[in-house]
């Protein structure tokens, strides 16, 4: 990685953390942000469960067990955001249109998985190395982003403790995914695959921010991360 790439990476990561923390701390955009986080967390569950089943079928119980635990964690994270919405007097029903029908891929994921069709990203087909490396990067950064978002919450907000717990879980997900990658392809190739997705992520954030600036939506609710590859 050269110096420019390093700086660009820091800048884009900071931009995405800023956007998520800001949309969560602003009372106007907070419900949409929480609903978006709920969707991202719960939306990952069926994908992870299907991957776990596939790992079992392929004779890898080690991976199957971790993917199942991962799915359970994401379900719990979704519930934490649903509760936070409820405390604000909002229900997930209010956000139903968000979930109904086929969702367009976010600009972020469009760029992150550029070159892959939706079909190729399904749990039944997805290349394991791609899934592990790409998800590792998202989970590792999500862990840091949730800490920043927790800090941006008003003091004593009951969501704060939940967010710190989520951050710790995401760190655990990043850890086992790297371990899974190393088991599969060895340390050097694993690190190369991860580095490759770090580059993709920087480009995806740049693209997302430019799309948001163009459409004048930088003030609106943002979804800068999700653990679901199918989003
Ligand atoms: Fe999560
Ligand atoms: Fe996670």
């Amino acid at each position: 990685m050269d110096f420019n790439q390093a700086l660009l990476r820091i800048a884009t990561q900071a931009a995405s953390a800023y956007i998520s923390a800001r949309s969560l701390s602003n009372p106007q955009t907070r419900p949409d942000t929480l609903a978006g986080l709920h969707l991202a967390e719960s939306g990952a569950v069926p994908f992870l469960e299907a991957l776990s089943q596939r790992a079992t079928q392929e004779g890898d119980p080690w991976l199957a067990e971790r993917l199942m635990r991962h799915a359970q964690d994401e379900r719990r994270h979704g519930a934490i955001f649903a509760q936070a919405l409820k405390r604000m007097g909002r229900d997930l029903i209010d956000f139903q249109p968000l979930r109904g029908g086929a969702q367009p891929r976010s600009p972020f994921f469009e760029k992150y998985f550029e070159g892959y069709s939706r079909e190729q990203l399904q749990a039944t087909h997805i290349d394991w190395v791609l899934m592990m490396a790409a998800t590792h990067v998202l989970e590792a950064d999500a862990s840091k982003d949730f800490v920043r978002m927790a800090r941006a919450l008003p003091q004593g907000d009951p969501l704060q403790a939940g967010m710190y717990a989520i951050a710790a879980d995401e760190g655990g997900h990043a850890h086992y995914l790297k371990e899974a990658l190393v088991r599969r392809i060895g340390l050097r190739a694993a690190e190369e695959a991860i580095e490759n997705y770090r580059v993709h992520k920087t480009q995806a954030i740049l693209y997302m921010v430019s799309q948001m600036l163009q459409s004048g939506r930088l003030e609106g609710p943002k979804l800068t991360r999700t653990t679901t590859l199918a989003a």
Side-chain angles (χ1 to χ4, degrees):
M1 185 185 8
D2 66 20
F3 187 53
N4 279 336
Q5 175 63 229
L7 287 183
L8 190 60
R9 207 166 278 190
I10 294 167
T12 51
Q13 189 54 36
S16 100
Y18 169 80
I19 292 166
S20 8
R22 190 188 155 110
S23 56
L24 189 69
S25 55
N26 177 346
Q28 273 182 333
T29 51
R30 200 172 165 196
D32 280 336
T33 307
L34 289 173
L37 288 167
H38 170 268
L39 180 70
E41 301 286 322
S42 323
V45 173
F47 180 73
L48 292 165
E49 285 174 344
L51 281 176
S52 172
Q53 281 164 16
R54 182 177 149 201
T56 300
Q57 282 159 11
E58 293 179 8
D60 191 345
W62 181 92
L63 181 60
E65 193 201 317
R66 277 156 186 83
L67 284 164
M68 196 46 79
R69 244 187 277 154
H70 187 169
Q72 285 160 4
D73 287 347
E74 302 304 355
R75 183 177 287 121
R76 196 172 59 246
H77 299 170
I80 289 171
F81 292 117
Q83 278 164 13
L85 270 173
K86 220 171 200 162
R87 279 196 299 270
M88 296 183 78
R90 304 289 290 271
D91 211 336
L92 285 166
I93 298 290
D94 303 346
F95 300 93
Q96 210 61 29
L98 265 178
R99 289 185 288 175
Q103 288 158 41
R105 239 202 223 181
S106 70
F108 177 83
F109 282 104
E110 221 175 89
K111 202 74 185 165
Y112 196 55
F113 293 112
E114 199 169 37
Y116 292 96
S117 67
R118 267 175 190 254
E119 195 55 28
Q120 285 173 304
L121 298 174
Q122 298 296 312
T124 44
H125 293 71
I126 193 167
D127 174 63
W128 282 112
V129 170
L130 158 71
M131 178 268 158
M132 289 165 182
T135 313
H136 165 84
V137 169
L138 296 179
E139 296 280 351
D141 289 346
S143 175
K144 292 180 213 144
D145 286 347
F146 276 125
V147 170
R148 288 199 190 91
M149 282 192 264
R151 289 200 193 117
L153 285 169
Q155 267 303 314
D157 190 300
L159 181 57
Q160 219 163 30
M163 278 219 160
Y164 284 122
I166 292 175
D169 287 344
E170 310 301 17
H173 299 159
H175 184 86
Y176 95 82
L177 286 162
K178 180 166 180 187
E179 200 182 343
L181 207 50
V182 172
R183 283 174 95 236
R184 202 159 280 254
I185 56 173
L187 181 62
R188 184 180 294 208
E191 281 175 347
E192 271 168 22
I194 288 169
E195 174 60 21
N196 183 25
Y197 270 87
R198 288 240 153 259
V199 174
H200 280 227
K201 190 172 178 225
T202 304
Q203 289 165 346
I205 293 175
L206 277 179
Y207 181 67
M208 178 185 74
V209 171
S210 73
Q211 294 284 101
M212 277 158 52
L213 287 171
Q214 266 172 32
S215 62
R217 287 192 308 115
L218 200 54
E219 297 303 311
K222 298 305 144 347
L223 243 190
T224 58
R225 66 142 317 241
T226 163
T227 46
T228 173
L229 295 171

